[in-house]
């Protein structure tokens, strides 16, 4: 379980987050949704201990993310930020191998290689594995970053807009795979998604935020209503029944 | 389709990540040839009387100094580039060497009778403090575009060397500065170079830290995510670079651009996997500094051109080429 207890963050005089109290259950896929600037990334990076909160406490699987031993935490919790610009000239495989660092400390074992192969296969990167990152398209690179995080093989996986730059096919297969990671490997996946319909189709729980606050928490069916979505996104939204899950339509009032 | 393009881009045997032993052995042999040449090139005729002594007193120390300083400075550049995530940083573009020179001058003024080991410690401490200042300034600079970073370092270095010059003028040590800023192996003789063995330890430590430095090269967030104590590693890496620069400055002076040219050429050819690159960077450093020293020794025989001058020419050209290349890639 992930718990947030009175977590708040201010950048200079911009109030970005909180105070937020939230519990994210173990297992399953939780989607964070909300308009730009709602504080989704801020919250996720605080949970992923990449950013210090001004107040409050975060625990992941019982470990306080601020005080836990970094190496232990890195075996339980992995996070991918929204923006990643590396200058390093590494191949896809070398990057994904670095995901094994918490386990191997650089000395890659056969188990590590197996985990790397699995992650590469999972994200359809086997053919690209020996290419340099700076020679890939944005979407291919995004898949490589996600593969690195999956190779880390942690119980908790936090992803900030993993569908960034992905085409339709790869966005769908990424979500399907994250769903499988939750169902088959028992992982707890928390992700920020831009497209509310992906949350509806794949998530077990939706957390809707605006202006640094958590406004609604519930199953997709609970959150996907005209009233809630129009409120959260400050634009008229109509929810219609889709192929087994609700769809939000908002393209034209 | 995919298979075809893959086969075209990745020729067999050049798969990145594989340790290519044969090319490395060839590079090793080439470097060895340069090192042997360095032992036997010089004004003094080794077949003359006392040739053997001459060989042991000057040629062997000079050559060992080339090997040690060359590999240490190339490795230092690599470490700094990982820690700052910037290809243009190396001890002379981060102010590290300039701070070492300031420390050295202070040790000469304040402790005139101190031995070389004391000077080395003081120079290394100054280099460490200066590099930490550079890192702290970088952390506050918002625009961390590729070129801003070395400009900050060069500016800090310029301020420090002006200070050093001012201090030297007012204490009548100006002539000493010339020899420090113009790194040269001419004066390296037995009893003078032995402290350089310290930098061998720096190289060894870098090999131990290789994977952690690769992770650090992906930035603080990725490093933290992977459970690496980023700040501690930065401190440790900076200390290693400071020792290498401090010791090298005391014994031979500045070796500009060495840490820039070698790691960049290696990265261009082989990518950024540190563990497999390190032997290449060491060999490259030795080969480049030895070749430049040989040129400096032979081009105007019986006079010597300081190695720093030759390195400066080669390095400046490489620096410009690199800037142009980075610009083209955007
Ligand atoms: N580094 C920063 N410095 C100053 N303000 C920031 C910074 N990062 C985010 N903010 C502000 O904090 C608020 C929340 O941002 P963020 O968490 O990135 O939102 P989201 O991911 O939901 O789009 C926004 O108002 C944003 O402008
Ligand atoms: Mg965001």
């Amino acid at each position: 379980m992930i718990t947030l207890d009175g977590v708040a963050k201010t950048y200079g005089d911009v109030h970005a987050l909180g105070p937020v109290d939230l519990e994210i259950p173990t297992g399953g896929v939780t989607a964070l949704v909300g308009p730009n600037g709602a504080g989704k990334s801020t919250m996720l990076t605080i949970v992923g201990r990449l950013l210090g909160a001004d107040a409050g406490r975060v625990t992941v699987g019982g470990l306080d993310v601020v005080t836990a031993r970094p190496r232990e935490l890195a075996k339980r919790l992995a996070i991918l930020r929204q923006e990643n610009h590396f200058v390093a000239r590494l191949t896809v495989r070398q990057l994904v191998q670095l995901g094994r660092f918490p386990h191997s400390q650089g000395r890659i074992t056969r188990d590590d290689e197996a985990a790397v192969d699995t992650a590469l296969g999972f994200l359809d990167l086997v053919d690209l594995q020996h290419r340099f990152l700076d020679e890939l398209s944005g979407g291919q690179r995004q898949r490589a970053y996600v593969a690195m995080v999956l190779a880390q093989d942690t119980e908790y996986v936090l992803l900030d807009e993993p569908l960034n730059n992905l085409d339709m096919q790869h966005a769908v297969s990424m979500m399907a795979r994250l769903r499988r990671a939750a169902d088959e490997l028992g992982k707890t996946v928390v992700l920020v998604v831009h497209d509310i319909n992906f949350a509806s189709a794949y998530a077990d729980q939706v957390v809707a935020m605006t202006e640094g606050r958590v406004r609604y928490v519930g199953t997709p069916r609970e959150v996907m209503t005209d009233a809630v979505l129009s409120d959260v996104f400050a634009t008229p939204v109509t929810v219609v029944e889709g192929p087994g899950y609700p769809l939000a339509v908002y393209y034209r009032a | 389709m995919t298979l075809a393009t893959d086969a075209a881009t990745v020729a067999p045997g050049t798969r990145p990540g594989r340790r290519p032993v044969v090319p490395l052995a060839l590079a090793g042999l080439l470097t060895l040839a340069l090192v042997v040449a360095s032992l036997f090139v010089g004004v003094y005729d080794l077949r003359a009387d006392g040739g053997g002594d001459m060989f042991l007193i000057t040629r062997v120390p000079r050559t060992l100094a080339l090997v040690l300083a060359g590999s240490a400075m190339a490795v230092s550049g690599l470490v700094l580039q990982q820690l700052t995530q910037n290809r243009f940083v190396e001890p002379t573009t981060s102010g590290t060497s300039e701070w070492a020179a300031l420390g050295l001058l202070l040790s000469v003024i304040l402790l005139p009778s101190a031995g070389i080991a004391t000077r080395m410690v003081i120079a290394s401490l100054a280099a460490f403090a200066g590099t930490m200042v550079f890192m702290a300034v970088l952390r506050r600079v918002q625009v961390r575009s590729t070129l801003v970073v070395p400009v900050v370092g060069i500016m800090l270095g310029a301020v420090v060397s002006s200070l050093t010059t001012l201090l030297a003028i007012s204490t009548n040590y100006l002539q000493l500065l010339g020899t420090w800023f113009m790194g040269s192996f001419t004066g390296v003789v037995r009893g003078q170079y032995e402290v350089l063995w310290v930098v061998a330890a720096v190289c060894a430590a870098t090999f131990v830290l290789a994977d952690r430095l690769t992770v650090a090269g992906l930035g603080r967030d990725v490093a933290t995510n992977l459970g690496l104590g980023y700040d501690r590693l930065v401190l440790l890496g900076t200390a290693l670079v400071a020792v290498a620069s401090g010791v090298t400055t005391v014994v031979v002076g500045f070796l500009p651009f060495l840490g820039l040219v070698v790691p960049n050429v290696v990265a261009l050819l082989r990518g950024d996997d540190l563990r497999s690159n390190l032997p290449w960077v060491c060999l490259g450093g030795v080969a480049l500094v030895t070749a430049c020293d040989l040129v400096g020794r032979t081009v105007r025989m019986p006079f010597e051109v300081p190695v720093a001058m030759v390195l400066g020419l080669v390095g400046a050209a490489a620096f410009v080429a690199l800037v142009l290349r980075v610009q083209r890639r955007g």
Side-chain angles (χ1 to χ4, degrees), chain A residues 123-135:
Chain A
L123 285 148
D124 196 13
L125 287 166
V126 175
D127 289 341
L128 296 175
Q129 61 178 316
H130 297 299
R131 292 263 289 272
F132 281 110
L133 288 173
D134 56 0
E135 294 162 358

Side-chain angles (χ1 to χ4, degrees), chain A residues 49 79 81 89 127 134 152, chain B residues 6 221 225 271-272 329:
Chain A
R49 48 77 172 93
I79 177 168
R81 290 198 80 141
R89 214 169 124 74
D127 289 341
D134 56 0
Q152 206 173 326
Chain B
D6 233 42
D221 287 340
N225 174 51
D272 276 328
R329 292 174 140 227

Side-chain angles (χ1 to χ4, degrees), chain B residues 58-305:
Chain B
T58 70
R59 294 288 172 75
V60 172
R62 179 174 193 149
T63 304
L64 278 174
L66 283 166
V67 169
L68 291 167
S71 48
M73 290 319 279
V75 165
S76 294
L78 181 64
V79 171
L80 278 179
Q81 283 149 27
Q82 291 298 119
L83 295 181
T84 57
Q85 290 188 267
N86 188 296
R87 297 212 177 279
F88 295 96
V89 178
E90 64 114 23
T92 58
T93 62
S94 61
T96 308
S97 295
E98 285 78 0
W99 280 85
L102 177 60
L104 180 52
L105 180 63
L106 283 175
S107 80
V108 170
I109 294 171
L110 300 176
L111 305 165
S113 58
I116 195 162
T118 314
R119 300 207 191 298
M120 180 182 103
V121 170
I122 294 175
S124 298
L125 285 174
F128 181 73
T131 314
M132 288 314 285
V133 169
F134 172 64
M135 297 285 189
V137 171
L138 276 195
R139 212 179 279 187
R140 274 165 190 74
V141 174
Q142 290 297 321
V143 203
R144 291 193 60 171
S145 84
T146 0
L147 287 175
V148 167
V149 174
V151 166
V152 167
I154 290 170
M155 260 167 38
L156 286 174
V159 171
V160 174
S161 45
S162 314
L163 213 84
T164 310
T165 308
L166 203 69
L167 198 62
I169 290 172
S170 53
T171 49
N172 279 320
Y173 280 115
L174 198 57
Q175 79 286 359
L176 274 184
L177 285 192
T179 52
W180 296 340
F181 289 148
M182 230 359 131
S184 156
F185 290 84
T186 311
V188 177
V189 291
R190 195 158 71 188
Q192 275 275 322
Y193 83 98
E194 286 80 356
V195 288
L196 266 180
W197 282 107
V198 171
V199 304
V202 170
C203 290
T206 312
F207 271 91
V208 173
L209 292 177
D211 294 303
R212 269 167 271 186
L213 287 166
T214 305
V215 172
L218 300 180
R220 171 188 297 272
D221 287 340
V222 175
T224 306
N225 174 51
L226 294 174
L228 188 79
Y230 186 77
D231 291 320
R232 244 186 37 210
L233 187 73
V234 169
L235 221 59
L236 194 59
T238 305
L240 289 177
V241 171
V243 170
S245 312
V247 175
T248 307
T249 305
V250 170
V251 180
V252 296
F254 289 7
L255 296 175
F257 297 119
L258 191 58
L260 181 87
V261 175
V262 175
N264 275 295
V265 169
V266 172
L268 218 62
L269 297 175
R270 304 181 30 84
D272 276 328
D273 181 50
L274 232 72
R275 179 164 296 285
S276 60
N277 278 2
L278 264 172
W280 285 92
V281 171
C282 285
L283 283 179
V286 173
L288 182 59
V289 82
T290 309
C292 287
D293 189 57
L294 281 171
V295 169
R297 271 193 261 173
T298 46
V299 73
R300 288 199 57 214
M301 254 184 181
F303 303 104
E304 283 199 15
V305 179

